[in-house]
Amino acid sequence: MANSNLQFKTNFAVSSKIEPFYKGGKVQISKDEKYVFCTCGSRVNVLEISTGKIIHSLEHDDQEDITSFSLSCDDELLVTASKALLLKQWDWKQAKCTRSWKAIHTIPVASMTFDSTSTLLATGGCDATIKVWDVVKQYCTHNLKGSSGVVHLVQFHPDISRLQLFSSSLDCSIRLWDLRSSQCICVLQSHYSAVTSLSFSRDGDTMVSSGRDKICTVWDLKSQQAKRTVPVYEAVEGVVLLPEKTDLSEIGVKSKNELFVTAGSKGVLRVWEANTARCVYTQTLPSTLTPSSEDEDDDNPRGLMYLFHLPASSRLATVTAEHNILFYQFPSLTTQQQFVGYNDEVLDVKFLGKDDSHIVVATNSCQLKVFQLLTNSCQILYGHTDTVLTLDVFKKGSLFASCAKDRSVRVWQMDSDSGQVRCVAQGSSHTNAVGSISCSRMKASFIVTGSQDCTVKVWDLPAAFPGKEIHQLVPRTTEKAHDKDVNSVAVSPNDKLLASGSQDRTAKLWSLSGDGQLGLLGVFRGHRRGIWSVCFSPVDQVLATSSADGTIKLWSLQDFSCLKTFEGHDASVLKVIFVSRGTQLLSSGADGLVKLWTIKTNECVKTLDAHQDKVWGLHGSRKDDRMVTGSADSNITVWMDVSEVELAEEQAKQEDQILKHQELSNLLHEKKYLKALGLAISLDQPHTVLTVVKAIRQTEDSSELLEKTLLKLRVDQKESLLRYCVVWNTNARNCLDAQAVLQVLLKHLPPEELLQYQGARTHLEGLIPYTERHMERIGRLLQASMFLNYMWQKMRVVGSSSGMEQDEEMDTTPLTQTKPLFFIDKEKEDDSRNERGDQCDDGDSGQEEEPYSWIKNENEPFEVSASMKASSKNRRKANGKRSQESESEESSEEEEMEDHHAVQPIKHVRISPPPQCLTSS
């Protein structure tokens, strides 16, 4: 068994994440070339190029999709436009919205850009108009009309002294606007399809335009005429006019003429001579790729959508249709960095590299992605022609294998120096999709695959992979292993055994003899549904299996009996692995959970909830205590085992929390409410803050004290308080405290300040439905209490006069404060009764002959009087309790129940509805 001194793992913390940050739309790179700005639904994400991390995520409060955005040329301001027709100005470095205003456009903004001074902002709308805004003085300076259809491109001339704006719309022409006269001074016509980009020379006299009509046009802006039309034979999405005397001799371009670079549907960069319309360089694709044919241009997933020139670092940047961002270094145009903006469902993930510095990921596509964990830079590996289903890595970590729906298996090798990965071997012999693969454990000598064709194959590998040729693999043995799909295969640590798990609900153990033949040793039966994963223990003669029945089982390799069963997942258990030298298990399921199990105690010691969908990928590092998970929610998470030091830090945090709560209690005792409230907010615990608010409201002059305390809070504290009010207001017990705080905030803070709070609009919208519900409930209670007062006054008149005088009066203070609808005067009872008999037609017919005929038995005055006395006492108790609890919801409910029970003891009483004339008065 494992070493008794081994420390069990008890917890895992998220070390890093690779998650989607770009799902299509606009991309912009900052002037200092340090950040990439890109849209992702309702957010603009800011990616730091050096680390590959998302440092900011800017989102509109209304969570409407962002239709366009623009970063100012000084990298200070960011303006976004949403479908709600709002423009928002951001201090993006602080992730704070500083200003918002209506776009004036009648339908959403499609494009926008800043001028070179970062003063003017142009917005092109789907309503065929262009607005120009002065973002410093905050007003609209121009409203330019005349475009036809959606204005999808706007761009200022780089020389701001010219005050010119270029735009393009659905008529495929380029309009030049003079901002001095607000007139269109010319229309440049050359393209027959959408104009996609414009690029200017340094002197501002030459412009190159690109279009999806497969041409680029060179313009002379002095004469406003086309100098040359260049056929590029692909739909062009981006063009960059290179500076004069750019040296590209390293890639074989010796021309000294004016050059420009195009990026388009074929997915390659091309360099063209502007004067001769000749292509002088075409980028070379990897050996596994070939340029798309003309018929495939429109749907090419490797097509390029944007092209940027980064002069400070001598780089070009492109964005692909697959949402990948690539950086190329001048003048060699070699790939320097690559970021993946969006991963589809993650089907498998494994650590890779000498020190597990990389991970390789299968993402529901025919490409593999290799991420460097330090920078998130990614290599995309092409070779498979259909979805890659799973992966496995050899012991040394530089060689790994993949299999796919294309019925093939491939072996890949990472160069230890450069980190580049290439395909070194491939084989294709299965007759259906290959869904499982396992590498030999001792040395890289063979791989085993399992397929939907119900067979298991063993493939021999050569001792080395010299040269650049791809070795062709041939299976040494094929075995009909199961009656249904083979979902998982695993090779034992000594390379002598093989386990397979199938959709037929069984797992099987096979011998791997030296001659390559498979011999069946036994069958593991017990799962109620298909088996998704099998795994050998690294130290014991046991096998772990996970199944769609939601269980994990441990099996003896000697007698094939089930040793333990672990239950805890609410759905299929997709993957199971051994950790802590075989003493613990990690499992991942279709419920999105990862669970840590201790085998000896047969219990789950930790549940990790970091994914929203099926966790297909689960792998532990061979070098340290990390693990990596990949999910169908497109997220990849790297976890680190929490060490003793980190546990001590966590314990210190808990002790600090205890000390802060003790300090809070002392501050409340000393009635230092401002400090107490600030401390409670710093703990970020709404219930603790509510305790302080309740304490303030129980003091004398509570309204003034609450107002004085809240107004002294910082802006961020008021923002947190508004967020807490939304939570409190959902509970009837706490709604009065929430409304008291809201009254202070809404009364003393201007709407402009409130709307600047993060999520203010969402918070206020969340308050409305619950507040209306509380108002309706209080209204019903008020009506019921008024009717009770009317009934009580009527009953007092019926009883014995002496008895009634001795009884204490009913406490109706709350009703008098709320202006009761009517009062009954004993002395004028007869007159009022006569008047009611004359005026009211809706009362009980025939009941006006007897003054109090609604009481059946008038010979029971003492019984009625005693009942009323009990009711009176109950009401006094209720009123006392209500005053102590500041008319809280709880006391209101108790008071309503007490009123109900107080009326019940009255015998032989029939209550008629109150006359309409009284209830309406």
Side-chain angles (χ1 to χ4, degrees), residues 44 50 52 101 136 274 294 317 361 368 594 613 680 713 777 819 868:
V44 171
S50 60
W101 70 97
V136 176
E294 293 185 7
V361 187
L368 286 168
V594 176
D613 208 339
L713 295 174
R777 178 174 44 78
K819 297 182 181 180
M868 289 298 99

Side-chain angles (χ1 to χ4, degrees), residues 770-830:
Y770 285 99
T771 302
E772 291 176 346
R773 187 180 304 176
H774 299 323
M775 288 295 296
E776 290 174 0
R777 178 174 44 78
I778 293 172
R780 290 194 300 269
L781 182 61
L782 182 61
Q783 292 177 4
S785 64
M786 289 178 176
F787 176 73
L788 181 63
N789 182 46
Y790 164 72
M791 184 178 65
W792 162 243
Q793 295 291 348
K794 296 287 292 183
M795 290 178 179
R796 288 179 57 191
V797 177
V798 174
S800 172
S801 59
S802 60
M804 292 301 292
E805 290 173 357
Q806 293 174 358
D807 289 338
E808 296 182 32
E809 292 293 329
M810 180 179 181
D811 184 4
T812 59
T813 302
L815 295 178
T816 57
Q817 291 176 353
T818 56
K819 297 182 181 180
L821 295 177
F822 58 89
F823 298 93
I824 298 178
D825 192 337
K826 290 182 181 180
E827 297 177 358
K828 299 182 179 180
E829 181 64 28
D830 294 338

Side-chain angles (χ1 to χ4, degrees), residues 231-276:
V232 294
Y233 310 108
E234 67 172 330
V236 182
E237 298 291 339
V239 63
V240 167
L241 189 60
L242 296 177
E244 295 180 6
K245 299 181 180 180
T246 299
D247 184 11
L248 297 180
S249 57
E250 188 170 336
I251 58 175
V253 178
K254 299 179 180 180
S255 173
K256 301 299 181 181
N257 296 327
E258 202 166 36
L259 303 174
F260 63 88
V261 183
T262 60
S265 58
K266 292 186 181 297
V268 296
L269 297 177
R270 296 184 179 187
V271 181
W272 303 79
E273 281 186 342
N275 295 335
T276 63

Side-chain angles (χ1 to χ4, degrees), residues 243-450:
E244 295 180 6
K245 299 181 180 180
T246 299
D247 184 11
L248 297 180
S249 57
E250 188 170 336
I251 58 175
V253 178
K254 299 179 180 180
S255 173
K256 301 299 181 181
N257 296 327
E258 202 166 36
L259 303 174
F260 63 88
V261 183
T262 60
S265 58
K266 292 186 181 297
V268 296
L269 297 177
R270 296 184 179 187
V271 181
W272 303 79
E273 281 186 342
N275 295 335
T276 63
R278 185 169 61 96
C279 179
V280 294
Y281 171 78
T282 300
Q283 187 181 27
T284 303
L285 289 172
S287 57
T288 55
L289 302 180
T290 55
S292 303
S293 65
E294 293 185 7
D295 296 335
E296 297 174 342
D297 279 359
D298 295 338
D299 299 322
N300 181 18
R302 299 186 298 275
L304 303 179
M305 309 305 295
Y306 290 94
L307 177 64
F308 306 98
H309 183 217
L310 311 178
S313 57
S314 298
R315 291 186 295 177
L316 287 177
T318 63
V319 180
T320 72
E322 291 181 319
H323 311 127
N324 303 323
I325 303 173
L326 292 86
F327 291 86
Y328 298 98
Q329 188 66 54
F330 263 130
S332 60
L333 289 184
T334 54
T335 305
Q336 185 191 52
Q337 280 179 293
Q338 182 166 257
F339 299 106
V340 175
Y342 177 73
N343 289 315
D344 205 340
E345 294 184 21
V346 178
L347 301 183
D348 204 1
V349 58
K350 293 287 190 295
F351 281 105
L352 184 66
K354 182 178 180 181
D355 297 314
D356 288 347
S357 56
H358 295 68
I359 56 174
V360 55
V361 187
T363 60
N364 199 26
S365 68
C366 56
Q367 296 93 35
L368 286 168
K369 295 170 183 174
V370 178
F371 290 90
Q372 184 181 16
L373 292 175
L374 186 63
T375 63
N376 280 3
S377 184
C378 176
Q379 297 178 59
I380 297 181
L381 309 180
Y382 297 90
H384 287 288
T385 58
D386 206 340
T387 303
V388 180
L389 296 175
T390 191
L391 309 156
D392 199 19
V393 181
F394 288 91
K395 184 177 180 179
K396 292 185 177 181
S398 60
L399 202 67
F400 66 96
S402 62
C403 57
K405 282 185 178 181
D406 61 7
R407 309 175 186 180
S408 73
V409 56
R410 284 180 177 264
V411 180
W412 310 79
Q413 189 174 46
M414 171 182 279
D415 184 88
S416 57
D417 297 326
S418 65
Q420 295 298 310
V421 179
R422 68 183 183 93
C423 181
V424 294
Q426 66 175 349
S428 180
S429 179
H430 282 285
T431 59
N432 210 328
V434 187
S436 55
I437 192 167
S438 182
C439 300
S440 56
R441 300 304 173 202
M442 300 293 289
K443 59 179 181 179
S445 57
F446 65 89
I447 56 176
V448 180
T449 58

Side-chain angles (χ1 to χ4, degrees), residues 372-558:
Q372 184 181 16
L373 292 175
L374 186 63
T375 63
N376 280 3
S377 184
C378 176
Q379 297 178 59
I380 297 181
L381 309 180
Y382 297 90
H384 287 288
T385 58
D386 206 340
T387 303
V388 180
L389 296 175
T390 191
L391 309 156
D392 199 19
V393 181
F394 288 91
K395 184 177 180 179
K396 292 185 177 181
S398 60
L399 202 67
F400 66 96
S402 62
C403 57
K405 282 185 178 181
D406 61 7
R407 309 175 186 180
S408 73
V409 56
R410 284 180 177 264
V411 180
W412 310 79
Q413 189 174 46
M414 171 182 279
D415 184 88
S416 57
D417 297 326
S418 65
Q420 295 298 310
V421 179
R422 68 183 183 93
C423 181
V424 294
Q426 66 175 349
S428 180
S429 179
H430 282 285
T431 59
N432 210 328
V434 187
S436 55
I437 192 167
S438 182
C439 300
S440 56
R441 300 304 173 202
M442 300 293 289
K443 59 179 181 179
S445 57
F446 65 89
I447 56 176
V448 180
T449 58
S451 168
Q452 290 182 9
D453 61 13
C454 306
T455 66
V456 171
K457 292 180 183 288
V458 181
W459 311 72
D460 283 325
L461 299 182
F465 299 97
K468 295 184 179 181
E469 294 295 327
I470 297 179
H471 180 79
Q472 296 299 317
L473 299 176
V474 177
R476 77 182 186 197
T477 183
T478 300
E479 184 73 30
K480 173 69 165 58
H482 290 273
D483 296 330
K484 292 185 179 180
D485 301 357
V486 180
N487 292 332
S488 178
V489 291
V491 176
S492 64
N494 60 3
D495 284 350
K496 293 184 178 181
L497 298 175
L498 171 70
S500 60
S502 169
Q503 201 67 27
D504 64 8
R505 299 179 291 181
T506 66
K508 293 185 179 182
L509 185 66
W510 308 81
S511 64
L512 281 169
S513 59
D515 59 1
Q517 298 301 314
L518 289 175
L520 180 63
L521 299 177
V523 181
F524 305 95
R525 292 185 174 92
H527 281 293
R528 299 185 304 275
R529 299 187 67 182
I531 294 175
W532 279 113
S533 177
V534 294
C535 182
F536 283 99
S537 169
V539 293
D540 294 324
Q541 293 186 13
V542 295
L543 179 77
T545 60
S546 65
S547 168
D549 62 13
T551 65
I552 304 161
K553 291 182 181 291
L554 283 183
W555 308 85
S556 169
L557 298 183
Q558 296 178 345

Side-chain angles (χ1 to χ4, degrees), residues 643-908:
S643 64
E644 294 181 4
V645 175
E646 291 168 322
L647 287 174
E649 292 177 352
E650 185 66 26
Q651 185 176 0
K653 290 180 181 178
Q654 294 177 359
E655 293 175 354
D656 183 56
Q657 292 282 334
I658 295 173
L659 292 175
K660 286 185 177 180
H661 279 89
Q662 183 61 45
E663 182 183 356
L664 179 63
S665 178
N666 295 337
L667 290 172
L668 289 176
H669 180 73
E670 298 170 4
K671 298 184 178 181
K672 296 180 179 179
Y673 296 114
L674 180 60
K675 290 185 178 180
L677 189 59
L679 180 60
I681 294 174
S682 69
L683 293 172
D684 197 22
Q685 296 176 353
H687 179 73
T688 306
V689 179
L690 179 62
T691 303
V692 180
V693 173
K694 285 183 178 291
I696 296 175
R697 297 191 68 231
Q698 289 175 357
T699 62
E700 295 182 4
D701 300 327
S702 59
S703 298
E704 295 181 3
L705 180 58
L706 182 66
E707 180 178 309
K708 180 180 178 181
T709 304
L710 296 185
L711 294 179
K712 288 183 178 180
L713 295 174
R714 301 192 307 268
V715 173
D716 61 317
Q717 293 174 327
K718 294 175 184 175
E719 185 176 316
S720 299
L721 205 57
L722 178 62
R723 176 162 45 91
Y724 299 153
C725 282
V726 179
V727 179
W728 302 339
N729 198 52
T730 60
N731 191 330
R733 296 178 181 271
N734 306 323
C735 67
L736 295 177
D737 302 295
Q739 295 295 329
V741 173
L742 286 172
Q743 182 183 13
V744 175
L745 296 178
L746 297 177
K747 180 179 178 181
H748 294 279
L749 299 181
E752 295 79 10
E753 180 179 342
L754 278 173
L755 289 175
Q756 295 301 321
Y757 291 174
Q758 186 175 2
R761 188 180 299 275
T762 304
H763 297 332
L764 294 175
E765 289 176 352
L767 286 165
I768 293 173
Y770 285 99
T771 302
E772 291 176 346
R773 187 180 304 176
H774 299 323
M775 288 295 296
E776 290 174 0
R777 178 174 44 78
I778 293 172
R780 290 194 300 269
L781 182 61
L782 182 61
Q783 292 177 4
S785 64
M786 289 178 176
F787 176 73
L788 181 63
N789 182 46
Y790 164 72
M791 184 178 65
W792 162 243
Q793 295 291 348
K794 296 287 292 183
M795 290 178 179
R796 288 179 57 191
V797 177
V798 174
S800 172
S801 59
S802 60
M804 292 301 292
E805 290 173 357
Q806 293 174 358
D807 289 338
E808 296 182 32
E809 292 293 329
M810 180 179 181
D811 184 4
T812 59
T813 302
L815 295 178
T816 57
Q817 291 176 353
T818 56
K819 297 182 181 180
L821 295 177
F822 58 89
F823 298 93
I824 298 178
D825 192 337
K826 290 182 181 180
E827 297 177 358
K828 299 182 179 180
E829 181 64 28
D830 294 338
D831 295 339
S832 63
R833 184 173 68 253
N834 293 335
E835 291 175 2
R836 289 196 302 273
D838 296 338
Q839 296 176 4
C840 300
D841 298 330
D842 295 334
D844 292 345
S845 61
Q847 299 297 324
E848 298 302 333
E849 297 177 1
E850 296 290 332
Y852 306 109
S853 60
W854 51 282
I855 299 180
K856 287 186 177 181
N857 190 349
E858 297 185 1
N859 296 322
E860 296 181 355
F862 292 101
E863 182 177 0
V864 175
S865 177
S867 300
M868 289 298 99
K869 188 171 183 178
S871 176
S872 168
K873 291 180 180 179
N874 287 338
R875 176 164 289 279
R876 286 198 300 274
K877 292 179 181 179
N879 288 335
K881 188 173 183 178
R882 179 173 56 199
S883 63
Q884 292 175 5
E885 296 188 9
S886 304
E887 299 181 9
S888 68
E889 176 61 25
E890 182 178 7
S891 65
S892 299
E893 294 175 356
E894 291 178 3
E895 180 180 305
E896 187 175 355
M897 293 299 296
E898 288 173 1
D899 292 342
H900 173 70
H901 292 299
V903 177
Q904 294 301 321
I906 301 177
K907 298 181 179 179
H908 309 297

Side-chain angles (χ1 to χ4, degrees), residues 73-264:
C73 293
D74 59 7
D75 292 341
E76 293 297 325
L77 301 179
L78 179 75
V79 176
T80 59
S82 72
K83 287 185 177 179
L85 303 181
L86 280 178
L87 296 175
K88 284 186 175 290
Q89 182 175 309
W90 302 81
D91 178 359
W92 63 270
K93 295 178 182 178
Q94 303 296 326
K96 181 180 179 181
C97 177
T98 57
R99 177 180 167 237
S100 61
W101 70 97
K102 291 184 179 180
I104 304 179
H105 293 278
T106 56
I107 44 181
V109 173
S111 58
M112 62 170 60
T113 186
F114 273 95
D115 75 334
S116 58
T117 66
S118 302
T119 302
L120 298 179
L121 172 72
T123 58
C126 296
D127 57 1
T129 66
I130 302 169
K131 319 287 185 188
V132 181
W133 310 83
D134 188 320
V135 295
V136 176
K137 297 181 180 179
Q138 302 182 0
Y139 70 98
C140 181
T141 62
H142 300 77
N143 182 18
L144 308 178
K145 298 180 179 180
S147 301
S148 59
V150 176
V151 182
H152 60 264
L153 185 149
V154 286
Q155 191 165 340
F156 285 97
H157 192 284
D159 184 359
I160 192 59
S161 63
R162 301 192 186 190
L163 283 178
Q164 292 179 342
L165 176 70
F166 294 83
S167 70
S168 183
S169 57
L170 291 182
D171 61 2
C172 308
S173 61
I174 303 171
R175 284 180 167 79
L176 175 57
W177 304 86
D178 182 10
L179 299 182
R180 291 185 178 88
S181 62
S182 298
Q183 299 295 321
C184 176
I185 56 177
C186 73
V187 178
L188 307 178
Q189 294 181 330
S190 172
H191 293 278
Y192 297 94
S193 187
V195 178
T196 54
S197 68
L198 305 176
S199 182
F200 298 87
S201 62
R202 285 188 175 179
D203 59 13
D205 293 334
T206 302
M207 180 182 75
V208 178
S209 62
S210 65
R212 297 193 181 116
D213 52 4
K214 303 183 179 182
I215 65 170
C216 289
T217 304
V218 183
W219 302 89
D220 183 348
L221 295 182
K222 288 184 176 180
S223 62
Q224 299 173 358
Q225 297 293 324
K227 294 167 59 176
R228 181 171 294 276
T229 298
V230 182
V232 294
Y233 310 108
E234 67 172 330
V236 182
E237 298 291 339
V239 63
V240 167
L241 189 60
L242 296 177
E244 295 180 6
K245 299 181 180 180
T246 299
D247 184 11
L248 297 180
S249 57
E250 188 170 336
I251 58 175
V253 178
K254 299 179 180 180
S255 173
K256 301 299 181 181
N257 296 327
E258 202 166 36
L259 303 174
F260 63 88
V261 183
T262 60

